C-alpha cells in the first residue's frame, strides 16, 4: 500500500519529499513507474493513478505564472500546438494532454519491462466532461462539466489487455462508474458477496462487451436527499436525471 500523505482522524501530514513541487503529471508517472519496477511480481498489483491533468488551472503563481513552460514539451509537438491550436487556454490544455499521454505510455513501458504486461488490464477513464473555460471541448455533445446533458456526463474510456479476447471494439451500451468495481472483480476472477444492506449498485459489463447481454438499461445520474447545509430545493437549484434505455 503506497500513498503520498499520512492521515487519520486526528492527524494530517502532507507529503514532504524533495519532488513535491514537480509538475504533477510527471510526479505521478515517476511514482507509478517506481512502484512497478520494485514490485514483487509473484504477487498481484492494483495501481490506481488519479492524474490531475488535464484540469485547470494551468498556472502556478509561485513558480510558473505564465503557464506550463514550453521546455516541458518536445519541440516538434510544441510547434504543432502553436501552429494548429487556437487560444492560449486551449494550448495549455493540449500541452497538459500531451504530457498525460506521454505519462501513460511510460507506465505501459514499465509494465512491459517488468514482464507483467501480458497479465495486466489497463483501464483509462475520465470523471466528467470538459469545461469550456478550462480549454475543454465536448462537441457535438451538448453541455459541459456540471451539466447532466451528455457533454457533462458522457466521457471517453477504454480498457486494454492482452487477456481480452475481443479487441478493437467500441461499446455503445450504458455504463456507470459504479460498474467498474464488479467488472474488475470479474476480470480478476474474484468472488465477492457484499453484506446485506450493502448491495452493489454496479453491474459487471463483461457480457455487454462480449455481446452476450445488455447488463444495464437504466441509470441514475444524479439526485439529492437530506441536503441540510444550505437552502436546497430540487426543483429550483438542483439537478437530477434518470435514464431508461434511450429515454432520459
Amino acid at each position: 500500500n503506497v500513498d503520498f500523505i499520512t492521515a487519520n482522524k486526528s492527524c494530517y501530514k502532507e507529503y514532504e519529499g524533495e519532488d513535491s513541487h514537480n509538475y504533477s503529471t510527471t510526479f505521478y508517472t515517476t511514482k507509478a513507474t517506481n512502484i512497478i519496477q520494485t514490485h514483487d511480481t509473484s504477487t498481484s498489483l492494483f495501481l490506481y493513478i488519479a492524474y490531475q491533468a488535464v484540469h485547470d488551472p494551468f498556472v502556478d503563481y509561485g513558480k510558473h505564472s505564465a503557464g506550463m513552460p514550453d521546455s516541458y514539451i518536445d519541440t516538434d509537438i510544441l510547434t504543432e500546438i502553436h501552429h494548429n491550436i487556437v487560444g492560449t487556454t486551449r494550448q495549455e490544455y493540449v500541452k497538459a494532454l500531451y504530457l498525460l499521454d506521454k505519462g501513460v505510455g511510460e507506465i505501459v513501458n514499465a509494465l512491459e519491462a517488468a514482464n507483467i504486461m501480458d497479465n495486466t488490464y489497463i483501464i483509462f477513464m475520465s470523471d466528467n466532461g470538459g469545461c469550456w473555460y478550462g480549454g475543454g471541448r465536448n462537441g457535438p455533445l451538448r453541455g459541459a462539466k456540471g451539466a447532466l446533458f451528455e457533454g457533462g456526463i458522457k466521457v471517453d474510456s477504454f480498457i486494454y489487455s492482452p487477456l481480452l479476447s475481443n479487441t478493437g471494439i467500441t461499446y455503445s451500451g450504458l455504463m456507470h462508474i459504479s460498474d467498474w468495481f464488479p467488472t474488475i472483480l470479474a476480470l480478476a476472477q474474484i468472488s465477492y458477496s457484499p453484506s446485506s444492506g450493502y448491495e452493489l449498485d454496479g453491474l459487471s459489463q463483461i457480457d455487454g462487451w462480449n455481446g452476450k447481454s445488455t447488463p444495464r438499461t437504466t441509470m441514475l445520474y444524479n439526485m439529492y436527499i437530506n441536503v441540510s447545509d444550505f437552502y436546497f430545493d430540487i426543483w429550483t437549484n438542483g439537478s437530477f436525471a434518470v435514464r431508461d434505455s434511450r429515454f432520459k
Side-chain angles (χ1 to χ4, degrees):
N1 183 29
V2 178
D3 205 340
F4 302 140
I5 64 171
T6 300
N8 55 39
K9 291 183 178 179
S10 60
C11 175
Y12 169 81
K13 181 176 176 59
E14 65 180 330
Y15 178 81
E16 296 179 337
E18 292 183 0
D19 54 357
S20 62
H21 291 288
N22 286 5
Y23 185 65
S24 66
T25 300
T26 306
F27 175 89
Y28 291 133
T29 299
T30 300
K31 295 298 183 184
T33 55
N34 287 343
I35 290 170
I36 293 169
Q37 290 164 356
T38 58
H39 175 66
D40 179 1
T41 56
S42 65
T43 62
S44 59
L45 172 65
F46 176 78
L47 182 60
Y48 171 69
I49 308 167
Y51 281 111
Q52 291 170 278
V54 292
H55 206 293
D56 68 336
F58 303 113
V59 298
D60 175 359
Y61 290 112
K63 189 175 182 180
H64 300 300
S65 59
M68 183 194 301
D70 286 347
S71 59
Y72 286 11
I73 309 297
D74 294 337
T75 301
D76 57 334
I77 301 298
L78 186 63
T79 299
E80 289 293 320
I81 291 174
H82 286 164
H83 285 177
N84 298 297
I85 305 300
V86 178
T88 301
T89 302
R90 184 65 171 168
Q91 288 185 0
E92 292 295 312
Y93 180 98
V94 174
K95 286 159 67 176
L97 181 61
Y98 170 69
L99 288 185
L100 173 62
D101 180 78
K102 190 175 181 179
V104 173
E106 291 177 12
I107 291 172
V108 172
N109 291 340
L111 291 168
E112 292 177 341
N115 293 319
I116 56 177
M117 185 66 245
D118 288 343
N119 194 36
T120 295
Y121 291 98
I122 295 177
I123 296 170
F124 184 92
M125 60 180 293
S126 179
D127 57 347
N128 50 253
C131 304
W132 64 268
Y133 54 81
R137 300 288 188 274
N138 303 309
L141 303 179
R142 178 186 181 187
K145 176 182 177 180
L148 294 179
F149 297 113
E150 298 303 276
I153 57 179
K154 184 176 182 179
V155 300
D156 293 319
S157 180
F158 68 81
I159 179 170
Y160 167 79
S161 174
L163 299 170
L164 294 173
S165 58
N166 57 334
T167 59
I169 65 168
T170 299
Y171 181 61
S172 58
L174 290 180
M175 183 170 179
H176 189 267
I177 188 172
S178 64
D179 295 339
W180 276 120
F181 180 57
T183 300
I184 291 172
L185 292 179
L187 290 171
Q189 300 179 354
I190 296 173
S191 297
Y192 174 72
S193 298
S195 302
S196 177
Y198 295 91
E199 290 78 10
L200 299 181
D201 294 314
L203 302 166
S204 172
Q205 290 281 352
I206 294 177
D207 285 345
W209 299 340
N210 292 332
K212 295 180 180 180
S213 67
T214 304
R216 179 180 289 281
T217 58
T218 62
M219 188 147 65
L220 174 65
Y221 288 97
N222 201 43
M223 68 177 293
Y224 290 89
I225 58 173
N226 300 327
V227 179
S228 59
D229 58 342
F230 62 97
Y231 173 74
F232 178 82
D233 184 329
I234 197 169
W235 300 108
T236 59
N237 64 346
S239 57
F240 59 103
V242 64
R243 182 167 172 174
D244 183 7
S245 297
R246 62 184 290 257
F247 296 103
K248 183 168 66 172

